Amino acid sequence: MPKVASKIGSIGQQHTITVLVENRPGVLARVAGLFARRGYNVDSLAVSITDDPTISRMTVVASGDEQTLDQISKQLTKLIDVIRVADYTDAPMMERELALIKVDADTTKRGEVMQLVDIFRAKIIDISETTFTIEVTGDVEKINAIERMLEPYGIREMVRTGRIALIRGARTAIQT
Amino acid sequence: MRGEGFFVFLARITESPDRADLLKSVNKMAKSKSGIQKYQAPPRGKPEPVRDGATVSGARALMESLKAQGTEVVFGVPGGVMIPAYDVLYDEGGLSHILVGHEQGGAHMADGFARVTGKVGVCFATSGPGATNLVTGIANAMMDSIPMVAVTGQVRTTAIGKDAFQEADITGITMPITKHNYLVTESSQIPRVIAEAFYIARTGRPGPVLVDVPMDVALNKMQYHTVPDVKMRSYNPQTAVNLDGVEEAARLIAEATRGVIYVGGGAINSGAWKEVRELARRTNFPVTTTLLAKGAFDETDPLSLGMLGMHGTAYANYAVRDCDLLINIGARFDDRVTGKIDAWAVGAKSIHIDIDPAEIGKVYIPDVALVGDCREALEALLSCVNERPRTEWNDQIDQWKQDFPLWYAADQDEVILPQMVCDELWKATKGEAIMATGVGQHQMWAAQFYKCRHPRTFVTSGGLGTMGFGLPSAIGAAVGAPDRTVWCIDGDGSFMMTNQELAPARQHKIPVKVAILNNQCLGMVRQWQTMFWDHRLSAIDLSHQPDFVKLAEAYGAVGLRAEKPSEVRGVIEKAMEVNDRPVIVDFRVARHENCLPMIPAGQTVEQMILDRPRKSIG
Ligand SMILES: Cc1ncc(C[n+]2csc(CCOP(=O)(O)OP(=O)(O)O)c2C)c(N)n1
């Protein structure tokens, strides 16, 4: 086993980390600041309220080797407003992301784009003379795939929520 | 603009609901013969104690909460939005306040106070510039894990975010340099927030906590309730040691032939010195301490290796190089200790004891980790560690000590060597004083030659390396330990950064003694430029500094000077006789002395720069 901890920014697997925090002003800044100042890579970050109004939930997707991820979890736990940190990477989990994609769809392209939307079980939620706005939900691969398929038609704008995740079965983040 | 203040004052009068009161006081001022500045309302006398459930202002609740936490002294500077708090202080018994020259000084005093007492140090500052002046002091306490609570004033909640006069987002600014911070938005939160702040500051791995109190929160009335105990679902400082590692650690100790005990500041924070001593006694493993842990193990003990690292003793660094077991007690593998980490203690198994789980594996991955309070962990460990006899390893260590002692040319009679001053201070105080330091060469010489015998007696800025820490931290230490002799070994550059704190020291008759190792330059920078930058001495000259003896006298302190080695002992004795005011001793020392041994930054013990001793100091 190497004796020396890995360098910051070392690449490795992507991890999905659930962070339950006190729902207080500034808590997002504390978490985001931690990642910035310790040089951890964040691939996505989603924040929301939960069933308990005093608790917010963050889903952080971060990459790095085992030691870096271990440090991320420990440093997050050290923040006073953090209640629980759970790394879901090796747990059976469900991950989803939602994307809205505004794509060129004039009369010549509409049919093809609609077919693609069907195949991905996505939805067209807005339409103009020249564009469709598509809503798609799924795991990261699915979103990446539809993005790739739509690219040739001309994506004007796109937004993704970032990943959210829950563990399968009856267990919850507090219990992991 | 001249006169502006007066117009603002008039505007306040016409605005104020208590107009009649104010006019009365203005009339009083006008009547007082010797000019309006002279009039000062007398305190109203010690106020009624605040009963549980009583209705009081937020400011009163703040003071009451601080007292409830055992606060006896506060270091600070008032200002507009802090006046409500200071107004309470005006009548208050039981809480002393030291008006400091600069808020950084106040923070360092609180820090020094905390280091020698083990209690939480408290400092005050007003909003905006007062608060930002605290930043260096807070960062310093954070890096060295010192328990501190800083209370800052803030503009009214309705003005926050509007770039109001003297508004600074101090909770945002100090987020990365505090263990935690609070912006209080309701007066009723004050007792709980203060109780939590102290709890967070002193438990687990200690650190500074900042509490930002807006003006209206201080003014508004609230019902005061005591906070009997703090429970926070999101903060449970782990103190129970994971016992599964203990047996494994004991086995490593039993199997080792060349053990070294490497002690850090955590051992001081947890009060583990008896246990450290017992572990050393029982195993006969030599003990080296970091700069911050000086005093956690008696440095006159034959098993002591002194400090390790960049300017540590050669024998401590050799011992770490050759050991087969490294027992880290509350240290954090700082780069000034390890140098090139990949080449550090490569042949050794290691045990790491720390209360902060994030320290385990942050820099160096141990074979066994005991997460928990150092003292409790050592207690558990000691229950399974057997006596071990002295071995060849001890002989080897003793040989290194003989071959590579700390030394300086003691035969000088023209010029004072800085090391000699440190050595003489050690002899004069027998290692029984509290020793504070600035940052630079003098700090390293102090660490090398002032052998600490007791914990909480060496007060120095380790992690942040803050020049200017010396004098204010010594003042804080003297306030915390009024029966001890407090010295500060300072550099001329460091001293210039915070010497304004001589004024409060004089005011309160605090007899700190500052030994300035005056080399007329930024010595440590000069040393690096000399050794690693081709002698290109850029921006290090301090030969135009003030006359420190006159400066001391200007402050009403005692100023002394020594220019020859033969004078050193005499001025130290003279300084020791003063006990009613600060003393500054200007030691004119050699300008071009280098601090050795030295392992250049990022290198290994093989590159250690050693001078062969010309004459051992014995
Ligand atoms: C606030 C601050 N500014 C700059 C430095 C960088 N620095 C480290 S040591 C040093 C020189 C210190 O000079 P002095 O206090 O005279 O002590 P000496 O090294 O001469 O003993 C400097 C400038 C620092 N550590 N802290």
Side-chain angles (χ1 to χ4, degrees):
Chain A
M1 190 170 65
K3 288 270 186 194
V4 178
S6 51
K7 303 270 181 297
I8 282 193
S10 59
I11 27 188
Q13 211 194 332
Q14 262 198 352
H15 286 239
T16 305
I17 305 164
T18 288
V19 190
L20 299 181
V21 299
E22 295 287 352
N23 181 12
R24 286 193 192 131
V27 63
L28 176 60
R30 288 180 203 279
V31 170
L34 176 84
F35 276 87
R37 81 177 168 270
R38 295 214 180 250
Y40 304 140
N41 302 321
V42 182
D43 301 320
S44 92
L45 172 64
V47 191
S48 74
I49 52 165
T50 64
D51 50 309
D52 178 343
T54 66
I55 295 181
S56 299
R57 182 171 183 129
M58 301 186 185
T59 309
V60 185
V61 180
S63 45
D65 60 17
E66 285 303 317
Q67 285 160 26
T68 307
L69 265 297
D70 180 51
Q71 269 295 306
I72 290 178
S73 288
K74 285 171 168 173
Q75 295 291 351
L76 281 170
T77 308
K78 250 172 91 166
L79 293 178
I80 304 292
D81 281 340
V82 169
I83 301 166
R84 183 95 190 96
V85 178
D87 189 337
Y88 275 2
T89 312
D90 298 323
M93 60 160 172
M94 299 157 287
E95 266 189 308
R96 291 291 180 274
E97 192 171 356
L98 183 145
L100 300 179
I101 307 169
K102 193 171 284 181
V103 64
D104 277 340
D106 58 24
T107 42
T108 62
K109 297 180 191 161
R110 276 191 193 161
E112 282 177 43
V113 173
M114 281 168 78
Q115 269 181 358
L116 277 173
V117 167
D118 256 4
I119 293 168
F120 281 96
R121 296 208 202 130
K123 264 195 281 187
I124 295 166
I125 56 169
D126 185 53
I127 179 165
S128 75
E129 274 107 71
T130 51
T131 60
F132 281 161
T133 301
I134 297 164
E135 172 196 315
V136 57
T137 312
D139 59 18
V140 179
E141 280 83 59
K142 178 173 163 187
I143 311 261
N144 289 346
I146 190 169
E147 184 191 351
R148 241 191 347 268
M149 300 309 287
L150 288 172
E151 223 145 51
Y153 299 95
I155 294 178
R156 291 207 182 178
E157 197 177 14
M158 171 167 177
V159 58
R160 296 168 69 149
T161 55
R163 262 181 262 179
I164 54 172
L166 283 183
I167 206 146
R168 285 189 186 277
R171 272 194 305 154
T172 64
I174 283 282
Q175 294 161 341
T176 47
Chain B
M1 207 208 300
R2 272 189 76 212
E4 203 175 53
F6 186 62
F7 286 119
V8 172
F9 179 59
L10 279 184
R12 294 259 162 79
I13 293 179
T14 39
E15 254 176 31
S16 163
D18 302 328
R19 188 156 179 249
D21 274 4
L22 272 167
L23 285 175
K24 231 189 279 167
S25 74
V26 171
N27 284 337
K28 260 189 216 163
M29 285 186 206
K31 274 184 216 147
S32 99
K33 263 195 204 148
S34 42
I36 59 169
Q37 275 86 357
K38 274 280 168 73
Y39 181 72
Q40 174 168 355
R44 294 189 195 104
K46 203 172 155 100
E48 288 282 293
V50 177
R51 265 168 291 106
D52 203 61
T55 303
V56 295
S57 70
R60 185 80 201 277
L62 171 67
M63 294 304 164
E64 208 56 33
S65 307
L66 289 172
K67 281 197 293 178
Q69 293 300 321
T71 309
E72 286 157 13
V73 58
V74 174
F75 306 91
V77 182
V81 296
M82 274 302 267
I83 292 183
Y86 276 87
D87 190 66
V88 176
L89 214 50
Y90 195 46
D91 296 325
E92 187 61 71
L95 203 56
S96 349
H97 177 266
I98 293 186
L99 172 59
V100 301
H102 183 292
E103 291 83 353
Q104 180 191 350
H108 290 333
M109 288 180 206
D111 179 322
F113 176 90
R115 286 184 207 237
V116 301
T117 60
K119 298 180 191 161
V120 179
V122 181
C123 55
F124 279 5
T126 192
S127 67
T132 55
N133 271 354
L134 286 178
V135 166
T136 301
I138 294 171
N140 190 75
M142 182 69 175
M143 286 292 263
D144 288 350
S145 307
I146 303 302
M148 181 162 120
V149 168
V151 178
T152 49
Q154 180 56 277
V155 301
R156 286 169 188 272
T157 48
T158 47
I160 290 178
K162 308 262 167 51
D163 302 322
F165 178 61
Q166 296 196 326
E167 178 182 2
D169 172 16
I170 198 63
T171 46
I173 290 169
T174 58
M175 213 172 257
I177 54 164
T178 48
K179 187 170 168 188
H180 194 53
N181 61 25
Y182 291 88
L183 170 62
V184 187
T185 51
E186 299 281 345
S187 312
S188 61
Q189 297 168 350
I190 287 176
R192 180 186 53 80
V193 166
I194 293 295
E196 284 184 10
F198 275 76
Y199 175 65
I200 292 168
R202 68 165 185 264
T203 56
R205 178 180 185 168
V209 178
L210 179 134
V211 180
D212 200 19
V213 185
M215 174 81 161
D216 51 335
V217 171
L219 289 174
N220 289 345
K221 297 282 182 205
M222 49 86 74
Q223 266 199 346
Y224 180 79
H225 287 293
T226 50
V227 182
D229 66 331
V230 179
K231 274 199 208 84
M232 298 172 71
R233 67 175 164 190
S234 61
Y235 176 64
N236 301 300
Q238 180 179 357
T239 46
V241 181
N242 57 332
L243 292 170
D244 33 322
V246 169
E247 272 177 32
E248 179 64 8
R251 193 178 60 76
L252 290 184
I253 291 174
E255 283 169 4
T257 54
R258 300 181 308 277
V260 168
I261 303 171
Y262 154 46
V263 186
I268 303 248
N269 279 337
S270 78
W273 39 88
K274 276 207 203 83
E275 290 72 17
V276 169
R277 191 174 59 210
E278 181 56 27
L279 183 67
R281 286 276 142 79
R282 227 183 270 179
T283 56
N284 271 304
F285 289 162
V287 181
T288 181
T289 65
T290 65
L291 181 64
L292 280 191
K294 268 179 74 74
F297 188 72
D298 183 350
E299 291 186 287
T300 62
D301 190 295
L303 282 171
S304 172
L305 297 168
M307 182 177 77
L308 79 169
M310 181 179 277
H311 290 292
T313 61
Y315 36 93
N317 290 323
Y318 288 149
V320 170
R321 177 193 64 191
D322 288 355
C323 71
D324 68 354
L325 176 67
L326 187 73
I327 307 173
N328 173 343
I329 304 170
R332 58 182 176 86
F333 300 103
D334 178 64
D335 53 280
R336 284 295 188 261
V337 162
T338 65
K340 187 167 187 255
I341 185 77
D342 327 69
W344 196 68
V346 276
K349 296 240 187 256
S350 65
I351 300 168
H352 190 175
I353 306 176
D354 207 292
I355 198 162
D356 180 358
E359 279 308 321
I360 310 295
K362 185 184 80 179
V363 174
Y364 190 83
I365 297 155
D367 295 280
V368 179
L370 302 181
V371 179
D373 178 77
C374 288
R375 191 165 53 79
E376 288 170 25
L378 282 179
E379 265 170 17
L381 185 59
L382 282 166
S383 69
C384 11
V385 169
N386 296 324
E387 300 261 345
R388 301 170 45 112
R390 272 181 65 95
T391 63
E392 283 163 30
W393 176 233
N394 297 93
D395 300 335
Q396 169 69 76
I397 302 266
D398 291 347
Q399 190 62 49
W400 281 327
K401 281 189 176 181
Q402 239 178 44
D403 294 347
F404 306 98
L406 286 172
W407 72 281
Y408 60 90
D411 52 357
Q412 298 283 329
D413 45 42
E414 276 311 304
V415 58
I416 303 174
L417 290 182
Q419 301 94 321
M420 176 205 181
V421 179
C422 299
D423 190 32
E424 290 294 337
L425 279 170
W426 184 72
K427 287 176 183 150
T429 58
K430 303 179 185 70
E432 297 290 334
I434 287 172
M435 184 58 75
T437 80
V439 167
Q441 292 181 309
H442 63 279
Q443 175 190 31
M444 294 296 108
W445 282 315
Q448 291 177 340
F449 291 94
Y450 185 82
K451 299 189 194 73
C452 267
R453 309 212 51 195
H454 309 288
R456 300 199 175 283
T457 60
F458 199 75
V459 177
T460 196
S461 167
L464 199 64
T466 311
M467 285 172 72
F469 179 71
L471 172 63
S473 69
I475 294 170
V479 171
D483 302 332
R484 306 290 294 261
T485 303
V486 180
W487 273 95
C488 167
I489 293 180
D490 219 345
D492 44 328
S494 294
F495 180 69
M496 283 303 286
M497 291 204 179
T498 50
N499 71 64
Q500 76 281 347
E501 303 309 339
L502 281 173
R506 173 71 183 88
Q507 181 190 350
H508 296 276
K509 303 188 168 56
I510 298 169
V512 288
K513 301 167 207 326
V514 184
I516 301 177
L517 305 191
N518 185 353
N519 53 12
Q520 312 246 319
C521 66
L522 297 171
M524 188 57 96
V525 179
R526 187 211 46 77
Q527 173 168 348
W528 284 48
Q529 289 170 343
T530 303
M531 293 171 71
F532 313 117
W533 293 87
D534 257 348
H535 299 264
R536 293 162 57 81
L537 305 189
S538 176
I540 49 92
D541 180 52
L542 294 179
S543 54
H544 297 284
Q545 72 208 354
D547 178 327
F548 290 133
V549 173
K550 283 191 186 152
L551 185 74
E553 285 164 358
Y555 278 111
V558 177
L560 302 168
R561 176 170 289 135
E563 286 170 308
K564 290 223 156 66
S566 57
E567 297 162 1
V568 170
R569 221 168 269 183
V571 289
I572 291 176
E573 275 163 21
K574 251 198 191 147
M576 301 276 270
E577 283 162 15
V578 180
N579 55 20
D580 62 346
R581 66 189 68 196
V583 187
I584 305 301
V585 192
D586 181 19
F587 289 99
R588 293 305 181 93
V589 300
R591 190 167 178 175
H592 291 284
E593 191 67 10
N594 286 336
C595 183
L596 298 173
M598 177 176 195
I599 300 175
Q603 299 199 27
T604 75
V605 63
E606 303 310 329
Q607 281 91 42
M608 178 160 53
I609 301 161
L610 270 170
D611 246 342
R612 276 302 175 143
R614 275 171 279 173
K615 190 169 177 184
S616 156
I617 57 158

